[in-house]
Amino acid sequence: GEPIESSKIDEPLVGKWIIGKDIKEDTLGKPCPDGFEVTEDNNFPKDSVHHYGLSHPDLGRITGFIELYKNDISRGKSAQWGRSHGFFVYVRGRLLNTGDDDDGFGIPRNQLRHGTFTRFRMIVHIDKLDETLRSSRETLQEGELYNLARDFLRASFNFARKHHVEFEKDHSPGVLLTARISSAPGSLTRKPLFALALQAIDGKVRPLYMRLPEGLSDAARQELLEQIHSRDTSEEGILQATELVPLDSKEGVAIYEVHNNRLLINESHPFVASFQELYTKADSSMPLEMYAMAEVLTEAYLYHLGVREDKIRDILAQRDDLLRYLVRSSAHRTPGMIALALLDAKNTPNRLEEEMRAAFEALGFENVIRIGGSGKPDGTAEANLPASENGIRQRYKVCLEAKSGGKVSAHRLDVSAIERHMEDYGCDHCVVIGNGFETATRGKSASERSIERMKSRTDKTITMMYIDDLARLVRLMPAKRIDLKKLREMFQSCITPEQSKEWINKIAEERHPPAPYKEILEAIWKRAKERDDEPIEYAAVLVELEHWDPAIKISKQDLISYCKAMQAMAPGVVFARETTVEITLRPDLVLKDIQDTIRQYPEEERKTIVI
């Protein structure tokens, strides 16, 4: 009995135009049919959608309005049940339901600019279309009347598109950000930036956040030098456009392209991915754009101050590591906490996606980012493994799909859509989690056969997994020291959730000898007291362990694996990076944190874990 309001109802508008009041016979251009005239119906109050209208000899009287939003209204939670954008055509008070795929009333998509269409909503009443309704009362018969209506709607969209283009010109990130940067002193912006560009063109430096065209001829190089000299002394802005693009996840927050004054913001960077929804909204995109430009300028300042290039790279690397750490969902939670949160989110779509990403961070994956949206995966995660001794690539990337609620049907799983996602985002495997799946108990299901065909054709795999089993895997991984190489065996061999469960059961039953956690922690602590002015490298810890009595000899890779396992079980206390490790408590207190974490596990899991 309570009214339900759309979460998008308060989205800011670029404008709203009423047919017959704001949109008149001479407002719409081609392909609008000729012969329209403004009419008013005094039987309706002036605030009614039917008071003003346009009348046509064939189409009859048309009423309604156009709304153009500042932000994309095609996404969000409501998109699971229906669309908010596009044409909504009413015939005698009833919404014409032509299917979600026909939100453009049959108009070819190349005639509907995507950036405008996802912000466009038109409510239009055309009662004369009653004559063309099919017997189902759901679809229209194509003919002259249908074509006239479609041309009117297309002309209405073009009207909105024109206003959107004008709005973008005044509110585009490039324009707004350039205005801010132009007001800043040149000594803080163009001087250091262009000085760095000149050094880079001469081959004297190799900046991380600046990109130059590759393979320049001598003539092209000279022309670019002259352009930069000219820009340095002119009033031309240093930034013409900003764009959110999927660069390599290992690159920084942003790249500045010198030759076209364009700022590329890296949506594959975990920090940017955490805030990319803000970027899609003009009202909230400015802070991210300003921050990205400040990163580019910071690098330029450091070079301008004469700091050595190796030091600059160290500074930027440390800063980038901090940004990545700050947005990690699992940064301060134990495996038990993450597993519990995953189970609590079983029936909450957005939260389940978030906790799935936290789970993959806890499993040891890097650059675990949120993507989401129509036609996209929920996220991706990367396993940055080194090449094998014979040079074989071992790195891999996983596509993440979270299915909350009831049993996942073959239609809801949609193997072909997942394959597209994996292709678009360069993924080797996909993991789909859910509360249940329609997999066959005897023989192979249709989904399983589709996945097998895809694997034989592309060598890519899809693994289904119960949410409970992913939670169990999160708890077991550090205690059982399952590395990302071992985990890939599950992705390569398991398709159904039953197969995944069996694989995890075998891992749970394995018993390992105690790891030398105590000795490793004491070696790190001892080294830190001796050299408190620099981070502790793994090589130094290995040397320290070899002088133990008796000597402890382990490989560097095993040491890193042990340290990352401790980091998972004692978050915020152990910090295991790629080349260095750090602990912030005495070894005995770190071990107590690890033991407290294990005590939170179910009893059957605790029995097989020795610390």
Side-chain angles (χ1 to χ4, degrees), residues 140-208:
L140 297 168
Q141 302 173 37
E142 292 199 19
E144 185 60 27
L145 205 59
Y146 172 78
N147 292 336
L148 286 171
R150 187 170 58 182
D151 287 344
F152 172 77
L153 295 181
R154 190 167 63 181
S156 299
F157 173 78
N158 290 343
F159 168 85
R161 176 179 178 174
K162 178 184 175 184
H163 282 274
H164 187 226
V165 169
E166 291 172 354
F167 174 81
E168 282 185 323
K169 284 180 180 177
D170 294 335
H171 296 82
S172 67
V175 170
L176 296 174
L177 190 56
T178 297
R180 295 286 185 96
I181 291 174
S182 296
S183 65
S187 59
L188 293 177
T189 55
R190 69 177 62 243
K191 291 293 183 185
L193 192 66
F194 290 144
L196 177 58
L198 293 172
Q199 285 182 287
I201 292 172
D202 285 340
K204 296 177 181 177
V205 295
R206 296 176 298 112
L208 297 174

Side-chain angles (χ1 to χ4, degrees), residues 13-55:
L13 285 165
V14 173
K16 179 176 180 177
W17 301 272
I18 297 171
I19 297 171
K21 181 181 179 183
D22 307 300
I23 300 172
K24 301 184 178 180
E25 66 271 24
D26 57 350
T27 303
L28 303 179
K30 294 297 182 184
C32 183
D34 296 327
F36 277 107
E37 63 177 25
V38 172
T39 56
E40 290 188 49
D41 189 340
N42 291 318
N43 292 319
F44 294 95
K46 289 200 171 184
D47 60 355
S48 167
V49 70
H50 300 299
H51 180 84
Y52 298 97
L54 289 175
S55 294

Side-chain angles (χ1 to χ4, degrees), residues 1-10 77-78 81 121:
E2 296 181 5
I4 298 173
E5 283 195 347
S6 167
S7 60
K8 296 171 184 170
I9 204 163
D10 295 324
K77 190 174 181 180
S78 62
W81 293 281
R121 179 171 178 260

Side-chain angles (χ1 to χ4, degrees), residues 179-399:
R180 295 286 185 96
I181 291 174
S182 296
S183 65
S187 59
L188 293 177
T189 55
R190 69 177 62 243
K191 291 293 183 185
L193 192 66
F194 290 144
L196 177 58
L198 293 172
Q199 285 182 287
I201 292 172
D202 285 340
K204 296 177 181 177
V205 295
R206 296 176 298 112
L208 297 174
Y209 296 163
M210 181 176 285
R211 180 180 292 172
L212 299 167
E214 295 181 0
L216 287 177
S217 64
D218 290 342
R221 179 174 166 278
Q222 186 59 39
E223 183 181 349
L224 183 58
L225 284 168
E226 290 172 2
Q227 285 180 9
I228 292 172
H229 279 298
S230 174
R231 278 189 243 162
D232 193 21
T233 56
S234 72
E235 293 300 314
E236 181 184 353
I238 64 172
L239 186 64
Q240 298 300 318
T242 64
E243 187 178 348
L244 195 66
V245 294
L247 303 173
D248 191 295
S249 60
K250 289 191 171 184
E251 292 192 87
V253 166
I255 298 289
Y256 178 72
E257 289 189 331
V258 175
H259 57 291
N260 59 13
N261 288 9
R262 190 167 63 141
L263 181 67
L264 306 180
I265 301 177
N266 184 9
E267 69 175 337
S268 298
H269 192 288
F271 184 84
V272 176
S274 295
F275 301 104
Q276 66 176 332
E277 275 195 359
L278 299 178
Y279 183 85
T280 63
K281 299 181 179 182
D283 290 344
S284 58
S285 64
M286 180 66 76
L288 179 58
E289 293 153 3
M290 292 176 70
Y291 179 78
M293 194 66 206
E295 288 292 281
V296 170
L297 289 169
T298 296
E299 181 183 45
Y301 300 153
L302 293 170
Y303 277 103
H304 200 58
L305 291 170
V307 179
R308 286 200 339 254
E309 187 167 68
D310 59 334
K311 289 294 183 185
I312 293 174
R313 287 175 174 261
D314 285 344
I315 292 167
L316 296 178
Q318 291 278 359
R319 184 177 177 84
D320 191 66
D321 282 346
L322 174 62
L323 292 178
R324 292 170 188 270
Y325 183 82
L326 289 175
V327 295
R328 283 186 59 199
S329 304
S330 63
H332 299 290
R333 294 190 289 170
T334 66
M337 293 175 183
I338 294 168
L340 184 61
L342 192 62
L343 297 175
D344 288 343
K346 278 185 174 184
N347 298 306
T348 311
N350 289 342
R351 191 176 164 212
L352 182 62
E353 293 171 16
E354 181 182 339
E355 297 303 343
M356 184 182 188
R357 291 191 297 274
F360 271 74
E361 285 175 352
L363 291 174
F365 286 86
E366 297 180 40
N367 302 319
V368 183
I369 65 171
R370 178 189 178 202
I371 300 174
S374 178
K376 298 179 180 179
D378 294 329
T380 59
E382 297 179 26
N384 292 320
L385 299 173
S388 64
E389 291 182 0
N390 54 2
I392 296 175
R393 179 182 181 271
Q394 296 190 107
R395 288 181 61 186
Y396 63 93
K397 190 173 181 180
V398 182
C399 174

